[in-house]
């Protein structure tokens, strides 16, 4: 019974750790959705940047008339290009950090689950060895008691035989 309770307890611990691992995996999926959204925004930004480049080409055609406007748009394009590069770096760094964190958490929980399983298995093996030892001791005690009982029966028969002989001897006298 003790082995069964210990085993059930260990299995409950393993189940709890597996639930935590599932929660971690869910969190990873949510982070991947966030990353996908960030990538979508960056693609929109790249599309906007491409549009600005096209506008710049059109403005350059009319450079003689709109030089100051062209200069301003060029500066704005450079600024957006820099901002886009910063956003790309931020996205890449964010992706890298989040993936590493989630990977570490997942590895930790996998190790914890494995450790709990191993500990439970060791405890079960110890309990089985102990139970086998107790069975052997009980079997030895039963055999000793059985031998003792058989000895007592033999002694009682011998005593009864002697009493019977004495009773016969007295009766014969």
């Amino acid at each position: 019974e003790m082995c069964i309770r210990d085993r059930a307890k260990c299995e409950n611990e393993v189940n709890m750790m597996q639930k935590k691992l599932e929660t971690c995996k869910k969190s990873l999926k949510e982070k991947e959705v966030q990353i996908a959204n960030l990538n979508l925004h960056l693609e929109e930004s790249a599309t906007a940047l491409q549009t600005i480049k096209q506008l710049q080409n059109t403005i350059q055609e009319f450079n003689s008339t709109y030089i100051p406007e062209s200069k301003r748009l060029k500066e704005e394009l450079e600024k957006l290009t820099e901002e886009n590069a910063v956003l790309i770096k931020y996205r890449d760094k964010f992706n890298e950090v989040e993936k590493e964190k989630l990977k570490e958490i997942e590895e930790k929980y996998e190790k914890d689950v494995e450790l709990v399983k191993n500990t439970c298995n060791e405890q079960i093996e110890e309990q089985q060895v102990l139970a086998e030892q107790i069975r052997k001791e009980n079997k030895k005690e039963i055999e000793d008691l059985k031998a003792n009982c058989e000895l007592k029966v033999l002694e009682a028969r011998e005593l009864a035989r002697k009493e019977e002989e004495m009773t016969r001897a007295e009766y014969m006298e």
Side-chain angles (χ1 to χ4, degrees):
E1 287 181 56
M2 193 165 97
C3 290
I4 291 171
R5 281 194 305 262
D6 286 346
R7 182 180 197 117
K9 183 179 175 184
C10 289
E11 287 175 352
N12 284 340
E13 288 179 24
V14 168
N15 287 338
M16 285 175 46
M17 295 302 285
Q18 286 175 336
K19 286 179 184 177
K20 287 181 181 179
L21 181 59
E22 288 303 317
T23 302
C24 181
K25 287 181 180 178
K26 243 186 202 177
S27 175
L28 176 62
K29 287 184 181 182
E30 290 171 2
K31 294 294 182 185
E32 288 175 348
V33 168
Q34 291 175 356
I35 290 168
N37 288 336
L38 185 57
N39 287 339
L40 181 63
H41 291 305
L42 287 171
E43 287 175 13
E44 290 171 357
S45 175
T47 303
L49 186 61
Q50 185 64 33
T51 303
I52 290 171
K53 284 182 180 179
Q54 290 171 354
L55 285 173
Q56 183 186 24
N57 291 339
T58 305
I59 289 170
Q60 285 175 351
E61 291 176 11
F62 301 100
N63 230 1
S64 61
T65 320
Y66 299 103
I67 291 176
E69 185 66 15
S70 174
K71 185 176 180 182
R72 186 188 70 74
L73 287 174
K74 184 178 180 182
E75 289 171 356
E76 189 175 327
L77 173 63
E78 289 172 357
K79 182 179 174 186
L80 286 173
T81 303
E82 290 172 6
E83 288 175 4
N84 194 44
V86 169
L87 283 174
I88 289 170
K89 286 180 183 177
Y90 170 75
R91 179 206 60 194
D92 292 344
K93 185 65 178 172
F94 176 81
N95 289 349
E96 182 181 319
V97 168
E98 288 303 310
K99 283 181 182 179
E100 281 300 315
K101 284 181 186 177
L102 291 171
K103 185 178 177 183
E104 288 172 8
I105 291 169
E106 188 175 316
E107 287 173 357
K108 179 189 178 296
Y109 280 115
E110 286 174 356
K111 287 178 184 176
D112 288 349
V113 166
E114 192 62 32
L115 179 63
V116 168
K117 281 182 184 178
N118 290 341
T119 302
C120 290
N121 288 338
E122 288 173 7
Q123 289 175 351
I124 288 168
E125 287 175 11
E126 289 172 5
Q127 293 297 326
Q128 288 173 341
V129 167
L130 183 61
E132 184 60 31
Q133 183 180 356
I134 291 170
R135 270 190 235 109
K136 287 179 182 177
E137 289 173 4
N138 287 345
K139 185 176 179 182
K140 174 92 171 92
E141 285 181 30
I142 290 169
E143 288 173 359
D144 290 348
L145 287 172
K146 186 176 177 183
N148 196 23
C149 286
E150 289 174 0
L151 183 61
K152 295 288 183 186
V153 167
L154 290 175
E155 288 174 358
R157 285 183 184 161
E158 182 63 27
L159 185 60
R161 187 186 61 74
K162 285 181 181 177
E163 284 183 18
E164 187 179 325
E165 286 177 6
M166 286 177 63
T167 304
R168 274 189 200 154
E170 286 177 8
Y171 181 72
M172 292 290 198
E173 286 179 7

